[in-house]
Amino acid sequence: MLGWALTFLIVALVAAALGFTGIAGTASSIAQILFVVFLVLFLVAMIARAVRGQPPV
């Protein structure tokens, strides 16, 4: 998931550098959404692991 967010971030940066503002805006929005989803899933996994009594990695 984090890999996809980074991919869309790179696409957004390249598109912005080349002047494709519509594509850059869309790609950056997708990257932001994927990054937030990744963070939420990461936190859920950490909380679930702590509830089961296993120490954090």
Side-chain angles (χ1 to χ4, degrees):
M1 183 75 63
L2 186 58
W4 281 105
L6 291 173
T7 301
F8 278 105
L9 176 64
I10 291 169
V11 168
L13 291 173
V14 170
L18 295 176
F20 300 115
T21 56
I23 296 171
T26 303
S28 67
S29 297
I30 293 172
Q32 288 174 351
I33 290 168
L34 288 176
F35 185 72
V36 169
V37 169
F38 168 77
L39 284 180
V40 168
L41 290 176
F42 177 73
L43 290 175
V44 168
M46 292 295 285
I47 291 170
R49 188 174 175 94
V51 167
R52 285 186 293 200
Q54 297 175 344
V57 186

